[in-house]
């Protein structure tokens, strides 16, 4: 294991002027100095109506080089522009790259808010470790990201549903084509203003129950946010699209366990009316004194090594659990709610769809927040999933409202960080 | 599927001067023209005794851009140097990269030879298709690679065991961070002089029987030469090294099937003396009239979707089969030889090691050609593998000699292509 190395930037909260020394921007005195070079030619802000996810970038980016001998180098905020990489760079040959996705929002008071950014920093370090890239001080990186966002804050759209997507990325840049931990790496952060995922209201998507391709496998990398989990999904997505489905529903093993949806985590809601679905619930959950024998069951596949520990996934689970326990009330959410992380098979979903105990299904992720599903192409037929008139179901609708409220600051919570 | 698109370079064999128009190097008339810009500052040739695999590159590289609207652009041979990539490039975030590895050799007559390069070109197209990168005319690309190698031919070391490693790479360069087929890509080829993998004679390696990490899974990408199959293996390799083993032996499933060794294909040789190992051979192979009930069995795992279809793997199989059938004689190779592509479990290997019917085990790949194995750390103990005094076994030794002979032209064959 490579030891945790810091940018030597941990004091920024306490004495920011000592560390963010803008006067020394042309001097590289060491890793304790953030250097800022302002873009002399800022771009025109984009027409929000034409925004396409991840196609427009702001005026600046953050870069931090790393080398095995010297550790993390000087963080630089500089004009957004191309990277100069040796053709032998590890990332170009062996896919040594990890990334994160998070968002900055304008709140009603004109402040800027991030949503649970500490989780992204922690996960990014877990990812780095898995793929032999250097780890870092997540608190320090977050402070640097805040500096970058502040500098480009006029790029954050103020319109509802809009935000600034933040993309931290860490790549291996060793100038040699051996398959080994790199001796050089580069962390960079770019920003992209994005519009609402569903500009005209929620539009439930149809999924293709995919068994011929896998997203992840036991002992693989599915639980880490590595680049390698993404490009291999493009061909399966094209196959799904060709058959009229929007995304892949990744089914695992001969039991066809539901795992993830496209690049999102997955939730299913069953109605618990003492009926048939009980048989599919593991005994230890039924025996749990917190288990409610009526009402709704909100289910998501467990973090078994194949599931990405999504920030939105965790937020949905936490909100629902706090609501169910009475510790917090999510307005509108049914009282009788059981939350379980357990395996779900297509057999169970299909049976529930037929018996009327299937309530809803949705994807959860940073980009779309909540993405309702209305059918699954499975073994030659379509399994239908109920959706409400507005596209959402009785559980997701209220969780979504709460999440968006917390993200944009209309509902106060310690998940939202004003910067 | 994206259709096969060509560099419009197919006529080079017939009328090379029409296509490789060196006079027009500063003009971009379209994709039919290879432009060559010679390096004005050629480097000093390296001291061969200090060569480290993949660390030194020649004076030139080949680049060919691609865009969805215009297809493949003008191939350029230009001075080796950094690539300029947008920070939003698909390859940096989603690991959209594929590569190949092949070698050029100096023969005794001073000519330059490639080894079965058509196989690399075919496999690269298969890889491109799997990861939604553009496919290309493999014959045309090979001609361009030959041009590049000819230009830097003085970089090919003449010493025994040395060669020029050729690394074609294709990356997605779309300037947007959506997970989709890229609208831009870049194919580039770089060259690296390399020394013998075992400069002081064969040194058998110890493997760590790995069950906690997987290299590939059914429905995954293990059968394609994608970047994504490589970086995730670095951490497992570090784990293996920490326990005193050189490489991972990737074991699959509860049966612990042997799949690959590090980044090489795997071969096992059993002695068939009518003993116990018969029970582990599938009935259809035993029933095959070509099956020999005595002598040696050369086994490699079948191409079941988890195994890379290696060029060296195919060459070993083909040579052994031709020898066994009598169509060709590999000097020294035993007559009674059965060649099977079938699953092999650690249980079978361990049993054969204990009963004395295990003859040898070796990895096969372009970099090392043949890499003998002398033990496997498995479930807390070491399974011992016999090796000869020179490090090689009775099958690999003769196949290696034949392969090296064909690669360097001392044994004539149509596998070796003089350029």
């Amino acid at each position: 294991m490579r030891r945790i190395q810091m940018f030597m930037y941990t004091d920024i909260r306490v004495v920011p002027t000592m560390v963010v020394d803008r006067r020394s921007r042309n001097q590289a005195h060491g890793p304790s100095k953030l250097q800022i070079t302002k873009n002399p030619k800022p771009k025109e802000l984009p027409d929000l109506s034409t925004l396409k996810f991840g196609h427009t970038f702001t005026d600046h980016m953050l870069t931090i080089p790393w080398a095995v001998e010297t550790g993390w180098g000087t963080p630089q905020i500089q004009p957004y522009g191309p990277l100069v990489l040796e053709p032998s760079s590890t990332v170009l040959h062996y896919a040594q790259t990890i990334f994160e996705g998070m968002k900055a929002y304008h709140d009603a008071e004109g402040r800027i808010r991030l949503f649970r950014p500490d989780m992204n920093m922690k996960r990014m370090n877990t990812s780095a470790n898995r793929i032999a890239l250097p780890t870092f001080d997540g608190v320090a990186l977050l402070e640097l990201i805040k500096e970058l966002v502040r500098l480009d804050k006029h790029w954050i759209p103020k319109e509802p549903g809009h935000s600034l997507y933040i993309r931290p990325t860490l790549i291996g840049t060793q100038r040699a084509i051996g398959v080994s931990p790199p001796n050089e790496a580069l962390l960079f952060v770019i920003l992209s203003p994005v519009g609402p995922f569903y500009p005209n209201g929620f539009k439930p998507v149809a999924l293709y129950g995919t068994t011929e391709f896998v997203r992840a496998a036991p002992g693989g990398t599915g639980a880490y946010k590595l680049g390698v989990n993404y490009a291999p999904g493009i061909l399966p997505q094209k196959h799904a699209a060709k058959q009229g489905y929007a995304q892949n529903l990744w089914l695992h093993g001969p039991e066809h366990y539901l795992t993830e949806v496209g690049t999102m985590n997955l939730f299913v809601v069953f109605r618990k009316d003492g009926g048939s679905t009980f048989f599919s619930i593991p005994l230890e959950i039924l025996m749990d004194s917190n288990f409610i024998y009526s009402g709704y069951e909100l289910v998501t596949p467990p973090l078994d090594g194949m599931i990405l520990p999504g920030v939105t996934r965790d937020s949905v689970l936490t909100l629902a659990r706090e609501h169910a326990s009475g510790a917090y009330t999510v307005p509108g959410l049914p009282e009788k709610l059981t939350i379980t992380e357990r395996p779900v098979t297509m057999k169970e979903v299909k049976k529930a769809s037929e018996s009327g105990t299937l309530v809803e299904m949705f994807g959860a992720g940073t980009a779309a927040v909540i993405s309702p599903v209305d059918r699954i192409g499975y073994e030659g037929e379509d399994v239908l999933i109920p959706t409400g008139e507005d596209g959402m179901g009785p559980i997701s609708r209220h969780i979504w409202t709460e999440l968006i409220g917390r993200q944009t600051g209309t509902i106060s919570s310690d998940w939202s960080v004003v910067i």
Side-chain angles (χ1 to χ4, degrees), chain A:
Chain A
M1 299 286 162
R2 196 164 274 145
R3 72 186 184 284
I4 298 258
Q5 283 171 294
M6 302 186 296
F7 308 125
M8 302 297 285
Y9 196 77
T10 47
D11 289 338
I12 188 170
R13 279 167 188 273
V14 187
V15 205
T17 52
M18 283 186 59
V19 182
V20 187
D21 184 354
R22 290 182 176 79
R23 291 162 304 176
S24 66
R25 69 179 61 144
N26 293 318
Q27 296 170 314
H29 281 311
S32 65
K33 304 285 182 189
L34 166 64
Q35 297 183 341
I36 299 178
T37 307
K38 284 201 178 171
N39 193 331
K41 290 181 183 173
K43 286 175 276 194
E44 253 187 68
L45 295 181
D47 174 359
L48 292 186
S49 66
T50 61
L51 269 189
K52 214 176 145 187
F53 183 85
H55 277 66
T56 308
F57 298 94
T58 67
D59 290 323
H60 298 91
M61 65 181 183
L62 169 69
T63 59
I64 316 170
W66 175 90
V68 71
E69 292 91 3
T70 51
W72 289 102
T74 307
Q76 299 233 19
I77 288 176
Q78 57 191 296
Y80 181 92
L83 303 173
V84 176
L85 294 173
E86 288 295 309
S88 53
S89 295
T90 332
V91 60
L92 303 180
H93 301 262
Y94 304 130
Q96 196 164 39
T97 173
I98 64 171
F99 69 91
E100 277 298 326
M102 46 207 280
K103 284 178 175 173
Y105 307 84
H106 250 297
D107 70 14
E109 288 75 41
R111 291 172 300 187
I112 304 158
R113 291 172 174 275
L114 300 177
F115 185 70
R116 308 187 76 185
D118 54 313
M119 291 199 72
N120 297 94
M121 295 299 99
K122 277 180 202 146
R123 186 171 63 184
M124 196 168 175
N125 264 318
T126 311
S127 303
N129 196 52
R130 176 61 187 86
I131 205 154
L133 280 167
T135 52
F136 52 86
D137 180 340
V139 173
L141 178 58
L142 185 53
E143 293 306 315
L144 291 164
I145 289 174
K146 287 177 184 173
E147 281 291 315
L148 177 67
V149 172
R150 281 183 204 116
L151 190 63
D152 279 347
K153 66 181 176 193
H154 55 290
W155 280 85
I156 311 176
K158 292 189 175 70
E159 284 67 15
H162 289 64
S163 59
L164 186 71
Y165 185 83
I166 303 168
R167 170 55 63 91
T169 310
L170 174 55
I171 60 176
T173 53
Q174 165 143 330
R175 299 149 194 243
I177 52 175
V179 183
S180 59
N183 60 9
E184 289 181 84
L186 179 70
L187 197 158
F188 64 90
V189 183
I190 55 178
L191 308 175
S192 175
V194 295
F197 209 82
Y198 297 103
N200 306 310
F202 282 93
K203 201 182 165 314
V205 295
L207 307 180
Y208 175 68
T210 306
T211 54
E212 61 274 48
F213 298 101
V214 300
R215 174 193 167 275
T221 58
Y224 303 89
K225 204 158 178 73
L226 311 183
V228 303
N229 297 330
Y230 292 81
I234 299 175
L235 184 73
Q237 203 279 331
K238 283 168 73 181
H239 281 217
K242 197 178 269 179
Q243 294 170 80
Y245 299 95
Q247 276 296 349
N248 298 91
L249 172 61
W250 303 104
L251 301 176
H252 179 71
E255 303 86 355
H256 294 172
Y257 286 114
L258 283 71
T259 61
E260 295 199 16
V261 174
T263 59
M264 286 182 283
N265 288 120
L266 169 75
F267 285 86
V268 192
V269 181
F270 296 106
R271 187 174 292 116
K272 315 244 58 91
D273 45 16
S276 59
T277 57
F278 272 13
F279 295 108
S280 50
I281 302 175
L283 194 62
E284 67 269 25
I285 291 173
L286 285 173
M287 298 287 282
D288 188 320
S289 60
N290 291 319
F291 188 78
I292 299 169
Y293 285 83
S294 60
Y296 295 95
E297 188 197 8
L298 174 68
V299 188
T300 196
L303 299 178
D304 58 1
M306 289 192 285
I307 304 294
L308 188 80
V311 178
T312 312
R313 177 188 182 277
D314 184 84
S315 303
V316 170
L317 284 175
T318 304
L319 283 179
R321 280 185 177 135
E322 288 186 353
H323 178 84
S325 73
Y328 179 83
T329 300
V330 176
L333 206 58
E335 256 181 60
K336 289 192 169 178
L337 184 64
T338 310
I339 296 93
T340 46
E341 292 178 69
R342 67 170 175 90
V344 188
T345 63
M346 266 311 291
K347 194 178 166 192
E348 180 181 358
V349 170
K350 201 178 163 190
K351 214 169 159 186
S353 167
E354 287 161 3
S355 69
T357 55
L358 185 62
V359 178
E360 62 168 317
M361 182 184 290
F362 56 93
T366 295
V369 188
I370 298 289
S371 183
V373 175
D374 64 0
R375 64 189 168 100
I376 302 166
Y378 179 63
E379 293 185 339
E381 53 180 322
D382 274 1
V383 176
L384 300 180
I385 319 285
T387 56
E389 274 182 26
D390 59 357
M392 304 200 83
I395 305 300
S396 63
R397 181 185 294 116
H398 308 294
I399 289 182
W400 178 81
T401 305
E402 179 75 23
L403 274 176
I404 296 294
R406 290 187 176 208
Q407 287 172 342
T408 57
T410 60
I411 298 170
S412 78
S413 84
D414 56 5
W415 282 355
S416 185
V417 178
V418 173
I419 69 171

